[in-house]
Amino acid sequence: MIVMKFSKHVFTVFFMVIMLQCIAQDVQQTERGVKLALNTTTVELQFYNASTVRVLKYPAGKETDPKSLSVIATPVKVNVSLKRSAGTVTVSSGQVNVAVNLSDGQVSFLGQKSKTPLLKEKAGSTSFEPFNDAGVSSYAIKQAFELDPEEAIYGLGSQQRGKMIQRNLKMNMVQGNTDDYVPFFQSVKGYGLFWDNYSPTIFEDNTAATSFSSQVGDCVDYYFMYGGNADGVIAQMRSLTGQAPMFPLWTYGFWQSRERYKSQAELVDVVRKYRQLNVPLDGVIQDWQYWGNNYLWNAMDFLNVDFPDPKKMVEDVRRLNAHMIISIWSSFGPQTLQYKELEKINALFNFKTWPESGSEKWPPNPNYPSGVRVYDAYNPAARDIYWKYLKNMHSIGIDGWWMDSSEPDHFNATDADLNTKTFLGSFRRVRNAYPLMTVGGVYQNQRKVDNSKRVFILTRSAFAGQQRYGANTWSGDVVSSWDALHNQVIAGLNFSLTGIPHWNSDIGGFFLWNFRRKLDDPEYRELYTRWLEFGAFNPMMRSHGADAPREIYQFGKKGDKVYDAIEKFIRLRYTLLPYIYSTSYQVTANQSSMMRALMMDFPSDKNVLPISDQFMFGKSLLVCPVVKPMYVKKVIAGKDTTMAEDFSTVRTRDAYLPAGSKWFDFWTSEPNNGGQWVKKETPIDIIPVFVKAGSILPAGPSVQYATEKKWDELEIRVYPGADGEFVLYEDENDNYNYEKGVFSTITFRWDDKKKILTIADRAGAFPGMLSNRKFNVTLVQQQAGKTSNVNYAGKQVKVKL
């Protein structure tokens, strides 16, 4: 009996050895990682760097090498090790360990020292359903993952759902006017996941799984990246999809537009009025129909008789020390030169888009169809034609491009529409990447002809990787309401967490459908003011909308509470320009973000994870927008009920101060400990803003436009309570010479124990740089702070405070 048992044991061991040898034959180490041929599925792991791994899955017997539209990184050489154990192959880069179950292909991701997975696929959830994609054999694909029950994830783009943590939801990811989808999320556990697919996709998270399901794809294709924290994850995402170039300094000033200025005289007069009122302004925007009727839609030419001399218009704006950008679209009317040229190369789509009628009257008259068609931005020749006509605008001095309908507008979408042939296959296959392609075409073509002026694009839609194209995305034509204002905070933060750092919204909301009296409605006036206060801490501060004009003088005059509050925050924006521009340098040079969800800087404080109405602007300022009405009351007169302003009582807002830091009230310098809720008074001209202890905050001069005065006498505010550092960045304010190292930095370091501020040697140089300057250094205290005046000539100075 003993012999029989021993024989069975020997046989079992022998069988396992044979099986492992068979498995080993199916595991192929590649230049980038490993390729595993399993029973029904091939799995490839491709390391792009030690912290980022690409996972490809496709049916056994098929070969695929998909070319990404978003990912532009070239994989670096990574030394990986393979470890085989019964039923599992583990590939390690030194930063990330990836385990593949050899029976079902389940992939799990672990950190270098982690024994439990950071993320793992749901076993058996990889799905390839045969799909006929406009005559091409393909698959509908799905992959599900298992997240911890309480794990907070963020990202997925800019939506109007009002949901900060992206759990327990179902999202139909198809680009739209007010929804920009980026199939990327990141976790508080320090990892990110990018689903690299451009077709209509369902993202769903429930108690069973977290999944992406795409209508069409040749394979499952996603990237796992470990960054350790949110900034690290964003750095990995940008290393894959491209770094964000710098915007000109003037783009960070205040912008005014409306739907629409109806003549060049009206547009120039708006800038002139701001100058007469001594209210700062840097940009004005011309919206649509400067081209004339809808049959000339997006002609990129001033064919409207009320714009008789566009070159003079641009020159008049420039003489008033402002900049101008102009609305351009992704579609063309049948009488435009672009339409005719694009039609010859079969680069126009046949689906319903805006405008539907050739008549400008509302509602659209179906008896007079506009014939407007969207162009094939996936076609490089079509993108070149687009720029061929746009460069005429560039030649007369237009400073940037407002790329409207960059989703593009697509009404009543059908399967037939999605079958539309593009240069890269069916429209279905590449649908969500349309904004990436059309925005990229403008950026790349302008860079070919002009490095003296930085590309600046304002766009309504975005996709993964768009940060590399000098574009600021706005949240679309949102309908004005208090809920909408709150939703913008959430949308901007989740969008930034996808790695795209520049975002803004129409201050005041685009449509005023909820306010019958428009600007005469006191609740709207309060809402507009609060929205503008929030906008002062966005990467772009831009007032815009339909139904009523929004220029400051439409809200009264100096001495009126609303007018004064608006002016106060516009001026505050300009005071913060040295801080904002230096923060923008950190975005470009060090993969930082401007709008920062609190979980980015305080991940260990669990209280901050769901907070949706506060954020960091840069790494020093904690901003708490007011997103509820406070200063209106109902007035009943007979059967009528109206709203009236009521400033008789100063209201308050609760704000949470994250743990681990001391905080100073920006307005009063009052110190507060972190880890607590505080109640702050919020008159109409105040929102709670706090400065983190250890911050060094530069304050700029009072100006009418961003470059009016040199920064030769900056106030430097030091907030004690912790050591700190700040890098003041300066360059020529426009052009791409900074890419060649033509800029300077001055590093300020605060030693809190010794109460010494060290201003280091200036690094770098650029034409026009200040050789000598004064810093007025203030140690911020609740009582009058101590100020030291420092003459600085580029060499280290120590200041005892």
Side-chain angles (χ1 to χ4, degrees):
M1 292 294 294
I2 296 176
V3 173
M4 286 182 64
K5 287 183 179 179
F6 178 76
S7 299
K8 285 182 179 179
H9 178 69
V10 170
F11 177 78
T12 301
V13 173
F14 176 76
F15 178 76
M16 289 180 64
V17 170
I18 295 297
M19 288 300 296
L20 284 172
Q21 288 176 345
C22 292
I23 290 170
Q25 292 174 357
D26 293 330
V27 179
Q28 175 188 349
Q29 190 159 359
T30 66
E31 186 177 350
R32 299 184 190 175
V34 67
K35 182 175 181 179
L36 302 96
L38 308 181
N39 289 334
T40 61
T41 307
T42 298
V43 179
E44 289 191 52
L45 306 180
Q46 301 177 355
F47 280 86
Y48 271 60
N49 57 51
S51 299
T52 297
V53 59
R54 181 189 194 185
V55 178
L56 292 170
K57 288 187 169 186
Y58 45 91
K62 302 282 187 179
E63 290 294 331
T64 185
D65 185 21
K67 299 295 186 284
S68 179
L69 299 178
S70 293
V71 174
I72 60 172
T74 300
V76 301
K77 179 65 176 176
V78 178
N79 292 321
V80 299
S81 61
L82 268 66
K83 180 181 179 182
R84 296 176 175 86
S85 60
T88 303
V89 168
T90 301
V91 187
S92 177
S93 68
Q95 295 295 322
V96 175
N97 298 322
V98 187
V100 183
N101 186 308
L102 295 174
S103 63
D104 61 9
Q106 180 192 30
V107 181
S108 302
F109 304 92
L110 297 87
Q112 184 180 9
K113 299 178 181 179
S114 175
K115 294 183 179 179
T116 58
L118 294 164
L119 175 71
K120 63 180 179 180
E121 296 178 348
K122 186 176 179 65
S125 67
T126 307
S127 174
F128 305 98
E129 293 292 334
F131 182 81
N132 184 335
D133 179 29
V136 177
S137 295
S138 190
Y139 302 97
I141 57 173
K142 179 178 180 178
Q143 181 64 62
F145 303 88
E146 294 181 3
L147 273 61
D148 294 342
E150 301 301 318
E151 183 178 348
I153 62 171
Y154 305 86
L156 298 174
S158 171
Q159 291 95 42
Q160 306 303 315
R161 297 169 173 265
K163 195 171 177 62
M164 187 67 203
I165 296 175
Q166 303 293 284
R167 299 297 303 269
N168 303 309
L169 56 81
K170 186 175 182 179
M171 191 181 292
N172 184 23
M173 305 181 87
V174 180
Q175 304 290 22
N177 181 326
T178 58
D179 295 291
D180 298 322
Y181 294 103
V182 181
F184 170 90
F185 68 81
Q186 64 164 291
S187 164
V188 287
K189 294 168 71 174
Y191 71 82
L193 188 141
F194 171 44
W195 178 258
D196 197 5
N197 185 284
Y198 325 112
S199 70
T201 295
I202 300 291
F203 172 83
E204 186 170 10
D205 176 82
N206 53 42
T207 55
T210 303
S211 63
F212 288 97
S213 305
S214 294
Q215 284 190 12
V216 61
D218 295 324
C219 60
V220 166
D221 187 356
Y222 69 89
Y223 295 78
F224 174 90
M225 57 202 77
Y226 183 68
N229 55 37
D231 281 309
V233 172
I234 285 171
Q236 291 298 322
M237 185 60 174
R238 291 196 198 145
S239 74
L240 275 181
T241 63
Q243 302 298 335
M246 289 200 70
F247 289 165
L249 175 62
W250 51 266
T251 65
Y252 294 107
F254 178 64
W255 286 81
Q256 184 65 62
S257 63
R258 72 168 78 150
E259 192 283 300
R260 60 185 169 92
Y261 296 123
K262 296 183 178 179
S263 69
Q264 70 179 69
E266 184 177 44
L267 180 142
V268 174
D269 191 52
V270 167
V271 183
R272 186 174 292 114
K273 285 182 178 178
Y274 269 87
R275 293 291 179 250
Q276 291 168 350
L277 292 168
N278 293 316
V279 175
L281 179 75
D282 260 276
V284 64
I285 310 176
Q286 177 58 48
D287 207 341
W288 60 0
Q289 293 183 336
Y290 59 87
W291 49 70
N293 65 60
N294 287 351
Y295 300 113
L296 293 168
W297 186 265
N298 196 34
M300 298 174 177
D301 200 355
F302 292 91
L303 304 175
N304 186 320
V305 295
D306 293 317
F307 293 83
D309 193 344
K311 192 171 189 299
K312 182 179 184 301
M313 174 178 62
V314 174
E315 290 171 349
D316 287 345
V317 169
R318 191 63 55 82
R319 276 192 288 269
L320 290 165
N321 296 297
H323 293 80
M324 177 179 170
I325 70 174
I326 198 159
S327 172
I328 55 176
W329 288 61
S330 299
S331 52
F332 295 96
Q335 293 180 2
T336 61
L337 299 175
Q338 296 94 325
Y339 183 106
K340 295 170 185 177
E341 195 164 345
L342 289 163
E343 188 176 38
K344 288 179 181 178
I345 64 168
N346 197 28
L348 293 169
F349 299 153
N350 283 315
F351 53 67
K352 192 174 290 187
T353 191
W354 177 267
E356 296 179 81
S357 173
S359 169
E360 296 176 20
K361 291 183 179 179
W362 188 261
N365 188 335
N367 294 320
Y368 297 93
S370 69
V372 172
R373 295 167 68 185
V374 172
Y375 91 106
D376 184 357
Y378 307 100
N379 186 330
R383 296 195 297 269
D384 288 347
I385 291 171
Y386 194 94
W387 175 255
K388 171 184 172 182
Y389 291 93
L390 190 58
K391 70 181 180 183
N392 295 327
M393 293 280 198
H394 183 259
S395 68
I396 66 170
I398 297 292
D399 295 295
W401 318 111
W402 185 8
M403 299 188 70
D404 211 335
S405 186
S406 53
E407 304 84 45
D409 273 322
H410 182 195
F411 301 150
N412 306 319
T414 65
D415 274 346
D417 291 349
L418 294 174
N419 286 339
T420 296
K421 183 179 180 181
T422 79
F423 186 80
L424 295 179
S426 75
F427 187 49
R428 177 185 297 104
R429 178 175 290 270
V430 291
R431 196 263 173 270
N432 283 336
Y434 189 91
L436 177 70
M437 305 306 292
T438 189
V439 169
V442 172
Y443 175 86
Q444 290 169 329
N445 275 296
Q446 184 172 329
R447 285 299 308 262
K448 289 176 184 176
V449 301
D450 187 2
N451 268 334
S452 68
K453 189 175 195 59
R454 295 177 197 167
V455 180
F456 179 65
I457 296 170
L458 176 62
T459 175
R460 197 169 78 182
S461 203
F463 193 72
Q466 202 156 305
Q467 72 279 352
R468 65 184 183 250
Y469 291 141
N472 190 314
T473 303
W474 96 93
S475 59
D477 300 338
V478 296
V479 178
S480 183
S481 70
W482 288 99
D483 284 343
L485 171 55
H486 187 189
N487 290 346
Q488 300 322 294
V489 183
I490 299 166
L493 295 178
N494 273 302
F495 186 76
S496 296
L497 284 164
T498 68
I500 310 177
H502 290 97
W503 176 95
N504 72 110
S505 67
D506 291 343
I507 289 176
F510 185 72
F511 293 114
L512 303 189
W513 297 341
N514 296 320
F515 299 94
R516 180 174 54 85
R517 295 163 59 194
K518 311 305 180 191
L519 300 194
D520 292 330
D521 190 314
E523 187 173 3
Y524 178 72
R525 294 162 68 83
E526 181 182 359
L527 173 61
Y528 178 86
T529 304
R530 294 307 198 188
W531 207 314
L532 181 131
E533 291 168 355
F534 162 62
F537 299 95
N538 287 183
M540 184 179 187
M541 185 183 187
R542 181 184 58 89
S543 170
H544 177 69
D547 303 325
R550 316 290 175 87
E551 295 80 17
I552 186 173
Y553 46 83
Q554 311 290 351
F555 292 87
K557 61 184 185 304
K558 192 176 286 291
D560 296 340
K561 284 186 178 294
V562 167
Y563 180 102
D564 288 351
I566 293 171
E567 180 179 2
K568 177 179 178 177
F569 273 80
I570 293 174
R571 291 190 180 280
L572 174 60
R573 176 74 173 195
Y574 283 82
T575 298
L576 293 174
L577 278 183
Y579 173 76
I580 293 171
Y581 199 53
S582 297
T583 298
S584 77
Y585 164 71
Q586 294 298 330
V587 169
T588 296
N590 296 310
Q591 295 81 47
S592 190
S593 298
M594 300 188 79
M595 290 182 70
R596 304 174 60 83
L598 297 186
M599 53 76 64
M600 296 185 73
D601 295 295
F602 311 99
S604 61
D605 184 347
K606 303 302 182 185
N607 292 319
V608 310
L609 300 185
I611 289 179
S612 62
D613 59 355
Q614 300 180 202
F615 61 97
M616 296 295 292
F617 186 56
K619 294 190 176 182
S620 295
L621 299 178
L622 173 62
V623 182
C624 310
V626 173
V627 294
K628 294 180 180 178
M630 294 181 173
Y631 296 108
V632 291
K633 64 180 180 180
K634 290 183 179 179
V635 177
I636 300 175
K639 296 182 179 180
D640 294 329
T641 301
T642 59
M643 305 297 288
E645 291 179 341
D646 181 8
F647 296 108
S648 60
T649 302
V650 175
R651 307 296 180 181
T652 61
R653 183 214 196 275
D654 292 335
Y656 182 73
L657 305 180
S661 179
K662 188 175 179 180
W663 297 91
F664 290 83
D665 188 308
F666 177 79
W667 307 105
T668 67
S669 301
E670 174 192 1
N672 299 270
N673 292 323
Q676 64 168 329
W677 288 89
V678 295
K679 194 176 290 292
K680 287 296 177 181
E681 290 188 343
T682 49
I684 190 65
D685 67 340
I686 292 287
I687 62 172
V689 179
F690 300 89
V691 188
K692 186 179 178 183
S695 294
I696 302 165
L697 194 67
S702 175
V703 292
Q704 290 298 296
Y705 54 94
T707 58
E708 181 185 14
K709 298 176 183 177
K710 290 182 177 293
W711 295 346
D712 55 355
E713 191 170 346
L714 294 181
E715 179 186 2
I716 306 297
R717 302 173 187 173
V718 179
Y719 292 82
D723 293 344
E725 181 176 296
F726 181 81
V727 178
L728 179 68
Y729 173 86
E730 296 170 290
D731 62 15
E732 296 171 279
N733 300 324
D734 209 337
N735 76 43
Y736 287 99
N737 288 340
Y738 75 88
E739 294 181 339
K740 305 171 186 176
V742 183
F743 62 86
S744 75
T745 58
I746 301 172
T747 300
F748 297 77
R749 294 187 180 91
W750 170 246
D751 186 319
D752 193 62
K753 185 177 181 179
K754 296 179 179 179
K755 296 295 183 285
I756 292 176
L757 178 71
T758 300
I759 309 174
D761 290 352
R762 181 176 53 233
F766 61 91
M769 182 182 70
L770 292 166
S771 299
N772 297 280
R773 67 200 309 167
K774 182 183 289 185
F775 292 126
N776 300 320
V777 182
T778 300
L779 182 64
V780 175
Q781 304 174 54
Q782 194 166 6
Q783 302 79 26
K786 178 183 177 182
T787 299
S788 297
N789 299 323
V790 178
N791 292 313
Y792 179 78
K795 295 299 181 183
Q796 179 177 290
V797 176
K798 290 181 180 287
V799 186
K800 178 72 174 178
L801 295 174

